Amino acid sequence: MLGNKIGLRAFILMASLGWATPGYSAVEIQWWHAMSGRLGEKVKALAADFNGSQTQFKVVPTYKGSYSETVTAGIAAFRAKRHPHILQVYEVGTATMMAGGGAVKPVHELMTQSGEPFDPEVFIPAVAGFYTTPKGEMLSLPFNSSTPVLYYNKEAFQKAGLNPDMPPATWPEVERYSEKLLQAGYTCGFSTAWISWIHLENLGAWHNVPIGTRGNGFEGFDARLTLDNPLHVKHLQQLADWQKRGIFVYGGRRNLGNAKFSSGECPMYTESSAGYAGFKANARFEFGVGQLPYWPDIKGAPQNTIIGGASLWVLSGHAKVPYQGVAQFFSYLSSPDVQADWHQTTGYLPITRAAYEKSKADGFYEILPAAEIPIKQLTLNPPTRYSKGVRFHSMIQIRGVIYSALESVLSGKQKAKSALQGAMNRANRLLSRFQKNRR
């Protein structure tokens, strides 16, 4: 009898310490994500490293397709009560996740309930602010974040008699540089990826101009878009006028026009900072990175750009023990060493100040100065109500409406003001319908 009691006590002790026993297996934590290829391998490595650091929990990452496919799969799985613990959701899905109510377990609640140390102040404000409530409560954990920058072909600059170490800082300078590039034989001055994200959403933040009411949607679901403001009308009409002269060439939705830069066709290109690795692999010329241009006649510009990318949401409805593992995993992902490595190997931004400082201490930016430019741009000034980002429900559909409006202007079918007013009215009907359905 005494021997049995000793054996039981030993088993309990080993289990509490996380030691492996013949009948013991780690608690699995399911993580659904949208990272493929090289990034997918890095996600697997993150999970493997965490799993190797302890024995109580095992994070199991599963690729579920594109961002939209991953979110759709997560929603369907939640309805079927077969959902993962962690779901990667792109930034335009933030309002959708918030509207889910009981489907989500906010990160600040998760960390408090688990007793895991958590200080939201360690995160870079422009990154964390996108995923927090007006009270500063973090809803999801920032994961892969990026911001738009200007890429430029240094060889083309030299050919056109431009300083290859001095990219244009303002949009009037972009026009002048483009004219010289055209004179040097190029058929295009500049192009862009993600035209809605860069030339509407980031344009507003960079100039501290709202594109919607209620703090661009951060202060309530009853927010409405205000796209027909003078800045956005001026900028879009200018893009259309530049397109007639070959200064600007539209390359398509999302980042379908990336080949225009990597092939050498367009010597300047606005794209996500996360596009650096792709250009490095495909461009056959030396290129540089500069900050996103701004309009110098707008008071207070430049302010700060906003992020794209995705964050990690915790879904409700699971047992207490796995949530303890999720909290520990989030602490691991946020640690300076892990964040600095993620930043340095993937090109995504560091989400914490400590990871940024570690990368500086490592000499990373001395080797690759271009990697620090998006961080400096993102942290140029403390975020305002209008430069935290945009948080509107149905943002995926709204971007589709905006794309159609932009394309009608760039093709010469409409003027910027009427096109933006039409897009705004259609988008606001979507927002009204969503708000009505919530009642």
Side-chain angles (χ1 to χ4, degrees):
M1 185 63 129
L2 181 60
N4 289 339
K5 288 182 178 180
I6 292 174
L8 178 60
R9 288 172 184 167
F11 178 84
I12 293 173
L13 176 61
M14 287 190 291
S16 67
L17 293 174
W19 293 354
T21 62
Y24 175 82
S25 60
V27 176
E28 286 196 355
I29 297 168
Q30 297 296 326
W31 175 17
W32 289 6
H33 67 87
M35 310 300 264
S36 60
R38 181 178 58 87
L39 291 173
E41 293 303 315
K42 186 62 179 175
V43 164
K44 290 179 183 177
L46 286 172
D49 288 346
F50 171 74
N51 295 340
S53 70
Q54 45 74 52
T55 58
Q56 188 177 1
F57 303 103
K58 180 182 179 181
V59 172
V60 181
T62 303
Y63 173 67
K64 301 298 286 188
S66 67
Y67 280 136
S68 59
E69 290 169 341
T70 299
V71 173
T72 300
I75 293 173
F78 185 84
R79 290 171 178 164
K81 297 183 179 181
R82 301 179 63 181
H83 52 288
H85 302 87
I86 305 170
L87 184 69
Q88 184 185 22
V89 179
Y90 51 176
E91 91 282 7
V92 295
T94 299
T96 299
M97 296 302 291
M98 290 177 64
V104 170
K105 191 176 188 67
V107 165
H108 69 93
E109 288 183 11
L110 169 83
M111 303 305 275
T112 299
Q113 292 171 1
S114 68
E116 193 72 15
F118 182 70
D119 180 7
E121 295 299 318
V122 306
F123 296 91
I124 291 176
V127 175
F130 198 98
Y131 301 112
T132 58
T133 68
K135 296 180 180 179
E137 300 166 323
M138 190 168 287
L139 300 169
S140 60
L141 185 77
F143 183 52
N144 54 303
S145 297
S146 60
T147 199
V149 293
L150 175 72
Y151 294 90
Y152 67 99
N153 184 331
K154 289 191 172 186
E155 294 178 14
F157 271 39
Q158 289 178 321
K159 183 178 178 181
L162 297 167
N163 187 336
D165 296 318
M166 190 175 293
T170 67
W171 287 114
E173 287 180 353
V174 168
E175 180 179 26
R176 291 196 295 271
Y177 279 44
S178 295
E179 288 172 341
K180 290 190 175 183
L181 289 163
L182 293 175
Q183 292 169 6
Y186 292 92
T187 58
C188 165
F190 78 99
S191 186
T192 190
W194 308 105
I195 190 169
S196 176
W197 179 55
I198 297 174
H199 292 272
L200 280 183
E201 297 162 38
N202 267 281
L203 178 76
W206 200 216
H207 295 82
N208 200 27
V209 172
I211 69 164
T213 62
R214 301 297 302 274
N216 286 346
F218 275 74
E219 298 163 8
F221 285 121
D222 57 339
R224 296 293 181 268
L225 287 165
T226 55
L227 296 175
D228 61 342
N229 63 74
L231 171 67
H232 288 91
V233 170
K234 168 188 173 179
H235 186 75
L236 177 56
Q237 191 60 57
Q238 187 66 77
L239 290 179
D241 293 344
W242 280 338
Q243 177 143 292
K244 294 176 183 177
R245 298 162 54 192
I247 287 174
F248 172 72
V249 173
Y250 178 55
R253 300 187 180 191
R254 300 180 297 279
N255 60 351
L256 295 178
N258 281 14
K260 288 188 175 298
F261 179 72
S262 58
S263 68
E265 177 186 348
C266 294
M268 293 185 289
Y269 195 74
T270 52
E271 219 307 30
S272 165
S273 56
Y276 184 91
F279 290 144
K280 191 69 176 176
N282 297 315
R284 296 295 178 262
F285 51 82
E286 184 182 3
F287 64 88
V289 177
Q291 287 192 347
L292 193 67
Y294 65 95
W295 288 104
D297 58 331
I298 303 297
K299 185 179 179 180
Q303 165 60 36
N304 67 274
T305 52
I306 58 178
I307 62 169
S311 65
L312 303 182
W313 289 79
V314 182
L315 301 184
S316 62
H318 292 290
K320 182 178 180 180
V321 172
Y323 284 135
Q324 182 69 44
V326 173
Q328 290 183 22
F329 182 54
F330 280 6
S331 291
Y332 161 82
L333 286 178
S334 305
S335 64
D337 287 348
V338 172
Q339 264 304 302
D341 176 69
W342 171 257
H343 164 54
Q344 294 177 27
T345 57
T346 67
Y348 283 110
L349 303 173
I351 63 171
T352 66
R353 294 184 176 95
Y356 177 34
E357 293 301 325
K358 185 179 187 307
S359 294
K360 285 197 284 188
D362 291 343
F364 178 63
Y365 305 121
E366 295 176 12
I367 300 171
L368 190 62
E372 191 174 19
I373 289 171
I375 305 170
K376 288 182 175 181
Q377 178 180 279
L378 193 70
T379 59
L380 185 63
N381 291 295
T384 70
R385 289 181 70 210
Y386 308 134
S387 69
K388 287 177 64 177
V390 295
R391 186 184 286 171
F392 299 102
H393 195 274
S394 307
M395 196 61 196
I396 301 169
Q397 296 94 318
I398 287 172
R399 274 191 177 166
V401 168
I402 290 173
Y403 270 126
S404 296
L406 297 179
E407 288 167 348
S408 71
V409 176
L410 295 174
S411 64
K413 295 178 180 178
Q414 280 188 285
K415 291 294 185 180
K417 189 173 182 63
S418 61
L420 287 175
Q421 286 177 334
M424 180 180 68
N425 292 336
R426 289 192 295 275
N428 285 336
R429 284 196 291 271
L430 288 172
L431 293 173
S432 295
R433 189 179 308 141
F434 162 73
Q435 189 180 7
K436 182 180 180 180
N437 292 337
R438 279 179 57 83
R439 294 185 184 131

